[in-house]
Amino acid sequence: MAKKPKKEDPAKANNKVVATNRRARHNYTILDTYEAGIQLVGTEVKSLREGQASLADAFATIDDGEVWLRNVHIPEYHHGTWTNHAPRRNRKLLLHRKQIDQLMGRVRDGNLTLVPLSLYFKDGKVKVELALARGKEARDKRQDLARRDAEREIIRELGRRAKGRT
């Protein structure tokens, strides 16, 4: 008897990254990351399932003990009606109270900021990877680029030596 292929759980099939903030790692030094849920309306989820979102100018703030994601662009759902959402509305992030209190203290004391790194589906739910970050200065960015170039050159040279080309 042949085995029947297992049916994939539809929630697990939707584990995919919708949007990433590539400039965040360039402009900020990432100190710590958190995974947060996000409070959305139905048309926003449908638009995200189509793979449409932008975290380009996004940031998070803590107001009255709640974490808010601001300036994220989720375009209107093209099949939506009058119930469609506003593309750049503020969205509440869902974190544990202990995490919020910890973030509040670190942001207030350490001159740090909250930056979203990515927006993705996990087990059918939309999640945000939130980073506690410190802004880089121009010289830090140049040093990172120089370090990356040097590491790349070392790897190239090791590859050449391994192949017998000197």
Side-chain angles (χ1 to χ4, degrees):
M1 265 191 150
K3 285 186 178 179
K4 288 185 181 178
K6 287 186 178 180
K7 287 186 180 179
E8 254 188 64
D9 185 14
K12 292 194 184 343
N14 286 330
N15 290 352
K16 67 173 187 173
V17 176
V18 177
T20 57
N21 190 350
R22 296 176 64 206
R23 297 292 300 171
R25 294 192 190 275
H26 179 72
N27 292 334
Y28 298 96
T29 302
I30 307 301
L31 304 176
D32 204 3
T33 60
Y34 296 88
E35 181 180 77
I38 182 168
Q39 190 173 349
L40 299 172
V41 295
T43 55
E44 288 173 324
V45 176
K46 290 177 182 182
S47 188
L48 287 174
R49 287 201 190 281
E50 292 179 344
Q52 300 177 352
S54 173
L55 295 173
D57 300 324
F59 61 97
T61 59
I62 302 174
D63 301 327
D64 298 328
E66 295 179 335
V67 183
W68 293 89
L69 189 61
R70 301 183 188 280
N71 224 14
V72 173
H73 185 266
I74 300 175
E76 290 184 348
Y77 182 58
H78 67 282
H79 292 302
T81 58
W82 59 273
T83 59
N84 231 333
H85 63 278
R88 285 204 184 264
R89 74 180 188 89
N90 297 333
R91 296 164 178 96
K92 187 175 178 180
L93 293 180
L94 308 172
L95 289 161
H96 293 282
R97 170 60 45 202
K98 195 180 227 181
Q99 290 175 322
I100 295 172
D101 292 340
Q102 182 184 13
L103 283 173
M104 236 186 328
R106 290 183 71 182
V107 166
R108 190 177 340 115
D109 296 340
N111 195 18
L112 304 175
T113 187
L114 294 171
V115 180
L117 297 178
S118 63
L119 192 64
Y120 56 94
F121 282 95
K122 182 177 178 183
D123 298 331
K125 294 182 173 55
V126 180
K127 302 287 183 178
V128 176
E129 184 180 15
L130 196 63
L132 189 64
R134 176 175 284 120
K136 285 185 186 177
E137 295 179 9
R139 66 171 183 248
D140 296 332
K141 293 177 191 177
R142 285 193 299 270
Q143 288 172 354
D144 283 348
L145 286 173
R147 188 180 311 116
R148 203 173 316 134
D149 288 342
E151 288 172 0
R152 197 175 298 134
E153 190 59 38
I154 289 169
I155 290 171
R156 264 191 221 128
E157 187 61 32
L158 289 173
R160 287 186 197 121
R161 286 188 183 181
K163 292 177 184 174
R165 299 181 213 155
T166 8

